[in-house]
Amino acid sequence: MWYEEISGTIESKDFVLWIVISEIKEEFRERTELGFDGAEVQVICTELIESFERFRRKLSEKLEMVIKENGSIPPTYFYYAPVDYEIIGDAPNFGEKYANVKEFQRKELPPFLDVIVKVFKVYEDCEFLRDLYAKVRNSQLYDKKLKMYKVNAPLENASIEIGRAKAFTPGWLENESIRLHMEYEYMLELIKSGLYEEFFSDFKNVFIPFLNPYVYGRSVLENCSFIVSSANPDETLHGNGFVACLTGDTAEFLSIWRIMFVGRQPFKVNDGQIILEFEPILPGWSFDEKGTISFKFLGSYNVVYHNPQKIDTYKTEDSKRVVLHVEGHDVTLEGGVVPEPYSKTVRSGQISMLEIFF
């Protein structure tokens, strides 16, 4: 409880907390520099949980504070410059000194898309996330020319000490480019958070199959590592895709595809029974001229959605009818839920096709 007993402002108390924690950390590093001795100690779980809870509360309070200070777009990184200090001795390296810092000035780096993704993972308030989405669209993370999301805002005022991102030409590789893996992660969080209108408003601008192949510069049937953004000084490269390294965008795309076609969790347990419920998140324009769309489910049979009115499936509560084609005969189920034993029949692959009517 010692933190609560410190007198002074929140800033001064936090500074004392930082000193104490830093000293504990440095002592731990010194003691474990050559490894651990393997000794085990017993701890009281309730005390450990209480300590973790206090840290969680402290971090949550600070997170709320920095989000509010930055107009709902949280900064990705901070760095601290000493503004008041005293020299207390010579360091082993030539010309270096030990100093006791009395005051720091906090500085922020430009926002990165990565932190926006993390906020979406942590927060569940849909209205807060919708507001954050709008602010990102109006920020320098959004490429207004390409209508895509850059990996970071301009780094022109950042120090080279932040790392290699600063070394790249803007719009290229790790500096202000469209990093497909990160952009797809952001899109995945949009659909997972229920921001379906926002997700589909960006859909055709972001996903590669919908791009102009002459601008993309390669087959739109393959992803790339990054796309040159409009921040690059060479306008002829804007929108071009390049493969410079391995990328995880395919994993994100498959996760998005799964949620779009079957929902977050098609198989559920309800009152001890396994049920199957398809909850597709598909826009009306994704259906063909007959109002159908199909996909392979569980790698063995086709699922066909019938949507003659081409409604957005995420705007309707339930499907009207499910038809299972099981070994020469059909099973028709009213409503969108497939109960046992048919849910197990579907899961074991003992059907030839499944049709769902909206």
Side-chain angles (χ1 to χ4, degrees), residues 317-355:
E317 291 295 326
D318 298 300
S319 54
K320 298 177 181 178
R321 182 161 44 96
V322 177
V323 178
L324 307 178
H325 298 271
V326 185
E327 297 180 354
H329 68 281
D330 296 344
V331 176
T332 300
L333 302 169
E334 297 299 328
V337 177
V338 179
E340 288 190 12
Y342 302 113
S343 59
K344 291 184 176 180
T345 301
V346 172
R347 194 169 66 167
S348 62
Q350 298 176 16
I351 66 172
S352 58
M353 187 170 67
L354 188 151
E355 296 182 274

Side-chain angles (χ1 to χ4, degrees), residues 81-110:
V83 294
D84 185 12
Y85 59 91
E86 61 177 346
I87 303 298
I88 58 176
D90 295 326
N93 296 328
F94 178 76
E96 294 184 351
K97 302 287 186 180
Y98 285 121
N100 179 29
V101 180
K102 299 179 180 180
E103 183 182 355
F104 286 103
Q105 180 183 14
R106 190 185 80 190
K107 298 185 178 181
E108 300 168 3
L109 292 183

Side-chain angles (χ1 to χ4, degrees), residues 76-77 111-119 150-151 182 185:
T76 307
Y77 298 108
F112 283 66
L113 190 59
D114 180 49
V115 75
I116 307 300
V117 171
K118 286 182 169 58
V119 170
K150 298 185 292 184
V151 67
M182 184 53 60
E185 269 201 78

